[in-house]
Amino acid sequence: AFFLRVSLFRLKDLELAKLGDSDVHVKMLAAPINPADINMIQGTYAILPPLPAVGGNEGVGEVLEVGRRVAALKPGDWVIPASSGLGTWRTQGVFPEEALLKVPSDIPVLCAATLSVNPCTAYRMLTDFQTLAPGDSVIQNAANSGVGQAVIQIAKASGIKTINVVRDRPDLAKLTERLMALGADHVITEEMLRKPEMKDIFKSVPKPRLALNCVGGKSTTEMLRHLQPKGTMVTYGGMAKQPVMVPVSAFIFRDVRLRGFWMTQWRKEHEQDQQSVATMMDALCQLIRKGQLSAPACTEVPLQDYKAALEAAMKPFTSSKQILLL
């Protein structure tokens, strides 16, 4: 059925909208294909654009021209979407100024293109749910995802230990090596979560106060067992398409907290609070400049090969994000 979906896509020449006084003409440079983009196309996401629509919620572009009321941006600046639904899979576009956020142009283009979704999600989840100090630990599943890779690096920069759960796969040793190189403290398979050897990990690392879940189902229940009393599990995705099951004892005797997180909602709630957005963006750009936060493993694809990129993005066990070069 997916191939039918790819055939719903067309590469089309659209006429550029006229530049209004508060508009910005942007030449797009690069835009990733994220799971949420695919969900939107499938009609299973919480926000759906009116059709026909341009795909893509994330990416980076260069400002070519600005309307006469635009004060904060000038030609040559780099911009990323301020919220979802911008439609970034295009070569050029005219957008209202408030739909864009300026980012420094001295960071690598792939870092900028993948900045607004995964690193921001990782940053917020590490910041907003538990007060973590150096030496504390976090456990997460789908640790090889874009968010997972960002969590490992941001945690490492703050002295927080990570226990990273991935699905067993043929190239497990290679994946483990890659995550360790990013700063992971432990990489384990979902099966290992149930094994007595987990005790060995907790000899060197304290039990986690925070668990990050984007899978659901059995692996999530197993991950929850290792949380400290009064620990928090934050769910931000459901790749297994199975519910989160919690043993009653975890609620009663360990008072664990279950929360949800959606970056789009956070942005909506902080529209008037530009300070928290700026603080987060500055922190992430500083980490990028210091070499402590890199773009996820990427495969760069020219826009005309978008069908191949979409198909690759749907494959299981993908450890590389497809990035459309525009």
Side-chain angles (χ1 to χ4, degrees):
F2 168 64
F3 291 99
L4 295 174
R5 300 220 174 266
V6 169
S7 68
L8 295 176
F9 268 78
R10 301 269 184 285
L11 208 48
K12 270 189 81 155
D13 284 325
L14 299 175
E15 203 169 314
L16 264 184
K18 205 167 143 307
L19 189 74
D21 289 349
S22 307
D23 290 341
V24 181
H25 178 192
V26 176
K27 169 182 181 275
M28 292 303 297
L29 302 172
I33 298 176
N34 288 320
D37 301 325
I38 305 266
N39 295 150
M40 267 178 141
I41 297 159
Q42 292 168 331
T44 58
Y45 203 59
I47 40 176
L48 301 173
L51 296 173
V54 178
N57 287 298
E58 187 180 33
V60 64
E62 183 184 329
V63 174
L64 294 180
E65 196 187 347
V66 299
R68 60 191 180 87
R69 287 219 197 99
V70 174
L73 296 170
K74 59 182 189 312
D77 284 348
W78 277 15
V79 288
I80 62 173
S83 55
S84 309
L86 195 66
T88 52
W89 300 346
R90 63 171 96 213
T91 52
Q92 295 188 25
V94 171
F95 308 109
E97 181 184 14
E98 69 270 16
L100 303 167
L101 279 180
K102 182 178 167 179
V103 291
S105 53
D106 65 345
I107 60 175
V109 72
L110 293 182
C111 287
T114 54
L115 183 60
S116 65
V117 178
N118 295 337
C120 289
T121 299
Y123 180 90
R124 294 267 52 107
M125 292 195 302
L126 287 169
T127 310
D128 295 351
F129 296 93
Q130 282 275 353
T131 310
L132 297 171
D136 282 343
S137 83
V138 173
I139 189 167
Q140 63 165 346
N141 54 25
N144 58 309
S145 66
V147 171
Q149 293 175 59
V151 164
I152 290 170
Q153 295 173 86
I154 297 166
K156 170 85 173 170
S158 317
I160 294 158
K161 310 281 184 202
T162 55
I163 301 161
N164 301 281
V165 186
V166 296
R167 284 185 296 175
D168 201 0
R169 61 193 66 214
D171 61 347
L172 183 64
K174 210 162 111 196
L175 175 63
T176 302
E177 198 177 307
R178 199 156 65 75
L179 296 182
M180 295 299 259
L182 289 179
D185 294 282
H186 295 278
V187 180
I188 60 173
T189 62
E190 292 184 341
E191 291 67 37
M192 236 199 92
L193 278 172
R194 305 180 187 111
K195 301 232 166 94
E197 291 91 297
M198 282 300 287
K199 287 196 182 71
D200 297 338
I201 287 180
F202 297 125
K203 282 176 188 158
S204 61
V205 172
K207 285 212 158 191
R209 294 172 46 196
L210 183 65
L212 305 176
N213 164 50
C214 79
V215 177
K218 207 167 176 181
S219 94
T220 303
T221 311
E222 295 297 339
M223 194 166 71
L224 194 69
R225 291 184 199 285
H226 300 296
L227 258 193
Q228 273 191 37
K230 293 197 189 304
T232 305
M233 183 168 81
V234 183
T235 293
Y236 68 99
M239 284 160 48
K241 296 186 169 54
Q242 290 164 350
V244 170
M245 309 283 273
V246 184
V248 171
S249 61
F251 273 137
I252 300 174
F253 303 122
R254 297 206 322 245
D255 188 18
V256 299
R257 286 119 214 254
L258 265 66
R259 300 286 307 272
F261 182 76
W262 186 31
M263 195 63 220
T264 302
Q265 185 62 31
W266 187 91
R267 287 195 193 283
K268 226 177 249 142
E269 287 166 7
H270 292 78
E271 267 168 356
Q272 303 314 312
D273 177 10
Q274 283 314 302
Q275 195 44 55
S276 8
V277 177
T279 304
M280 168 172 71
M281 287 306 188
D282 288 349
L284 293 170
C285 290
Q286 287 294 7
L287 290 175
I288 291 168
R289 284 197 194 96
K290 288 185 195 152
Q292 292 177 306
L293 178 61
S294 53
C298 290
T299 305
E300 299 172 46
V301 184
L303 181 60
Q304 58 269 30
D305 299 339
Y306 69 94
K307 285 188 175 168
L310 277 166
E311 277 159 24
M314 298 283 286
K315 288 201 173 82
F317 299 121
T318 41
S319 284
S320 186
K321 195 179 277 294
Q322 304 291 310
I323 305 262
L324 297 171
L325 296 181
L326 309 159

